[in-house]
Amino acid sequence: MAQGEPEPVLAVHGEEEEKEEGGEGPELAPAAGGVGLQENVQELFQDDDDDDSCSDYGSRDKSGTILGRIVPDGNVLFPDTFQTNHLLFYERFKAYQDYILADCKASEVKEFTAEYLEKVLEPSGWQAIWRTNVFEVLVEVVDVEYSTLKAVVRLSEPFLCDSRVSTFTLECMQELLELKKHQLPVQELWVVFDESGEFDQTALAIEHVRFFYQHIWRSWDEEDEDDFDYFVRCVEPRLRLHYDILEDRVPSGLIADYHNLLSQCEALYRKFINLRSGISSSDSDSEAENVSMVEGLKLYDEIEHLKQKLKLIENPLLRYVFGYQKHTGLQAKGSRPMGTKITHVVSSTIMASLLQSLLREKLCPETCDEELEIQFHSDPLTAVSACYEGDTVIICPGHYVVDGMFCIADSIELEGYGLPDDVVIEKRGKGDNFVDCTGANIRISSLKLVQHDAVEGILSVHQGKTTLENCVLQCETTGVTVRTSAELLMKNSDLYGAKGAGVEIYPGSTCTLLGNGIHHCKEGILIKDFLDEHYDSPKITMVNNVIHNNEGYGVVLVKPTVSSDVKDIAAKNSEGNIQTIKSNGKTDNVEDLGHEELHECATDDLELHERAEISEQTEGNYEIANELVATSVKKSQMHKKRLSELGITEADDNLMSQEMFVSIVGNQFKRNGKGSFGTFLF
């Protein structure tokens, strides 16, 4: 980093900064004249033909400020400062794109920023509060060093200082400024409020620089490829992510992942820079230097890998396609000390006729030898929270509105008493999840789940097996997610309305879809990339599903581009690996599918349709199965190649192929916007 360059804050800051940006903060006084911030930037950036030096940056002759003020709430009587940190997305977007960065490259960012400040910043005559993590002090700006993005300051009179750690005397502060040659980064200055309007542009310009180095700039940006527009490649996606986080459009788990990735990348980059500077300063060709070179290459690869993950999250189109590995903290209660199992009955009110029906059909069946213990609840959320291993929750007809989320960590059964449309559970209020499942064997049936104001999907299976039967799922974001090592059996259910994929299948998971309707989603089913060596191939069974009226594809496979040699080998081998699919769309051996339900579902219903329709459906089934198995073969070949590079030439193909189990039979694909099947390459 060059001498005098501003020190960037790499992480997208947490709660404190987010509140400062879009939420609670110090008491605000209204702007003069009642003009809002939305109008501020428009007025400040109007063309002024009479003053070429300020063209496109506004006139300096405005009467009265159009910005608000922040009244300090500390112990020291500091003057008010300009309110600039509540700018909207499009205001910052316009400033960076049109006035500050334009089409500059990463290596030109500092130069373009300096030119912008030189046009709009008052060179002297204004006061500011210098803020650090340790203290705040009032200073006066006497000059600006535009090339270094620093202001030349002196202490204001009277001396005002507020320290959070220890007492800073006038002499201590003067000594500190002398060490800094009285030059401070402009982003550390908060401009003192002035009603004349003379310093509006100065306050806004410093806000743009401060926000850029806090939330946009990364110290490794200059080392990336410099052939692309920096604004398009980095600024816009990071700016959008920042505002998506502020407006609760990103899952909290994904935000945490992003912060962690930034911290890891920052730490590794610092280590890499120190290592590189140590090598470059040494002229010897010693063994120690060679070791450092190897270590440097490893660090570089790790940094590039982390940067790629960051870019995926920053890209609004890819962030939900690739998702994140969420580690739920749900803990199972296990069985009760006495081993008893309880049946929980949920109903807002119970009529005598309903109770009689329950006793006859559910609570006292003829085959039941043991007396059941029953608990009554008015809310399904409290009933599920009260469950232990082996309990059953019966939800009576009604419309239940819940504010929390269902966390199911024990093997329980959750069933509606009646048709799904008669037993409705609706989620209100913002939140990441609706239903989280980690139990070894969970069964949910005959319910309608309705999701609102969501950030994540309607149901996530993190661990164990979850069976979803005869349910209706009205989604908000994504639909059902089957995460790595988890298993989902979804049967005779209806899923619709997802703004992402109706069903997301992660690597290493097991997903069986039998006789479902998946429609009116962004994509029907999304199978995430499983070529990474750390993941196993998923096991996928799709029989007699109707996937229709989705905006994109019926089924999408996400995968990276692979080398041509692996492609060629995979293409040759894939033809002989599809064991469950024939050209006529029927299975060779249904028993091999491993689910008793397939005997019920894999019927000859297709024979009832016209031959043209059969051909269309068969083509879709075969295309999906062929591509999935071919991708599994690619994974096997890539594994072989890695073993070969390590000097391992003999290996058992059966042990390392991790071949995908695929059964795609009798599914119907209708009126999907882009077709029955597509691949997303990255």
Side-chain angles (χ1 to χ4, degrees), residues 317 477 497-502 520-524 550-553 674:
L317 297 177
T477 51
K499 294 184 176 68
H520 294 92
C521 302
K522 177 75 173 178
E523 311 284 353
N550 295 291
E551 183 180 336
Y553 292 102
K674 296 182 179 179

Side-chain angles (χ1 to χ4, degrees), residues 15-24 85-86 190 214:
E15 237 173 33
E16 253 185 79
E17 285 77 9
E18 289 178 12
K19 285 184 179 178
E20 180 186 17
E21 186 60 33
E24 300 174 358
N85 60 0
H86 281 55
W190 272 256
Q214 280 185 342

Side-chain angles (χ1 to χ4, degrees), residues 430-458:
K430 288 186 178 293
D432 283 357
N433 307 81
F434 193 174
V435 182
D436 265 2
C437 299
T438 61
N441 192 0
I442 298 169
R443 182 181 177 85
I444 302 172
S445 61
S446 301
L447 295 176
K448 181 175 182 179
L449 303 179
V450 180
Q451 189 180 30
H452 293 294
D453 295 326
V455 179
E456 289 197 51
I458 197 165

Side-chain angles (χ1 to χ4, degrees), residues 40-104:
N40 296 350
V41 175
Q42 294 175 350
E43 291 195 26
L44 289 174
F45 290 142
Q46 294 295 322
D47 294 343
D48 190 347
D49 297 332
D50 298 331
D51 188 354
D52 292 339
S53 65
C54 297
S55 178
D56 288 333
Y57 294 92
S59 169
R60 298 172 187 258
D61 300 326
K62 293 186 181 296
S63 57
T65 180
I66 58 173
L67 297 177
R69 68 202 299 169
I70 297 179
V71 179
D73 54 2
N75 297 324
V76 178
L77 296 177
F78 282 116
D80 299 349
T81 56
F82 280 106
Q83 165 62 25
T84 57
N85 60 0
H86 281 55
L87 296 179
L88 302 176
F89 167 80
Y90 88 91
E91 293 173 322
R92 296 194 191 278
F93 183 94
K94 181 178 177 64
Y96 293 129
Q97 184 182 49
D98 295 347
Y99 302 104
I100 304 176
L101 302 175
D103 58 353
C104 75

Side-chain angles (χ1 to χ4, degrees), residues 255-444:
I255 297 172
D257 278 5
Y258 187 72
H259 290 165
N260 290 335
L261 289 170
L262 272 176
S263 300
Q264 291 176 40
C265 201
E266 177 186 357
L268 287 176
Y269 184 73
R270 283 199 300 265
K271 188 175 179 181
F272 174 75
I273 291 298
N274 293 334
L275 188 65
R276 186 173 65 179
S277 60
I279 294 174
S280 60
S281 62
S282 174
D283 297 330
S284 64
D285 191 19
S286 63
E287 182 178 347
E289 184 171 336
N290 291 334
V291 171
S292 297
M293 290 284 287
V294 172
E295 186 180 350
L297 290 173
K298 289 181 179 179
L299 282 174
Y300 179 81
D301 288 340
E302 289 181 49
I303 292 169
E304 289 301 311
H305 184 64
L306 291 174
K307 283 161 61 176
Q308 184 65 25
K309 287 186 175 181
L310 289 170
K311 288 178 182 177
L312 292 177
I313 298 176
E314 289 165 355
N315 188 316
L317 297 177
L318 302 180
R319 132 185 356 149
Y320 299 107
V321 172
F322 293 90
Y324 63 99
Q325 297 298 320
K326 180 174 179 178
H327 303 283
T328 180
L330 301 180
Q331 295 293 326
K333 297 179 183 177
S335 301
R336 288 184 176 82
M338 300 298 293
T340 56
K341 296 179 181 179
I342 294 177
T343 298
H344 304 263
V345 177
V346 179
S347 181
S348 53
T349 57
I350 290 190
M351 306 297 292
S353 57
L354 176 61
L355 185 57
Q356 288 175 354
S357 299
L358 276 173
L359 290 170
R360 182 174 61 252
E361 298 177 14
K362 294 290 183 181
L363 303 180
C364 296
E366 296 177 359
T367 57
C368 183
D369 297 329
E370 299 180 5
E371 189 172 358
L372 295 178
E373 183 176 341
I374 302 171
Q375 289 184 5
F376 289 91
H377 307 265
S378 60
D379 174 28
L381 199 58
T382 56
V384 171
S385 300
C387 283
Y388 283 75
E389 186 81 10
D391 283 4
T392 300
V393 179
I394 299 174
I395 304 178
C396 297
H399 192 118
Y400 304 89
V401 178
V402 298
D403 287 325
M405 74 175 188
F406 291 91
C407 301
I408 308 176
D410 291 282
S411 296
I412 67 170
E413 185 171 340
L414 182 64
E415 62 174 299
Y417 182 56
L419 297 174
D421 286 335
D422 296 330
V423 188
V424 180
I425 302 177
E426 181 178 354
K427 186 178 189 314
R428 290 280 176 84
K430 288 186 178 293
D432 283 357
N433 307 81
F434 193 174
V435 182
D436 265 2
C437 299
T438 61
N441 192 0
I442 298 169
R443 182 181 177 85
I444 302 172

Side-chain angles (χ1 to χ4, degrees), residues 1 17 46 56 99 108 210 237 252 260 374 477 494 513 556 639 651:
M1 187 176 291
E17 285 77 9
Q46 294 295 322
D56 288 333
Y99 302 104
E108 300 171 329
R210 175 166 46 245
S252 58
N260 290 335
I374 302 171
T477 51
D494 190 43
L513 304 174
V556 176
H639 194 181

Side-chain angles (χ1 to χ4, degrees), residues 6-8 149 185-190 206 209-211 213-214:
E7 296 180 6
L149 309 185
V186 293
Q187 64 263 34
E188 294 182 8
L189 302 178
W190 272 256
I206 290 177
V209 174
R210 175 166 46 245
F211 182 91
Y213 282 106
Q214 280 185 342

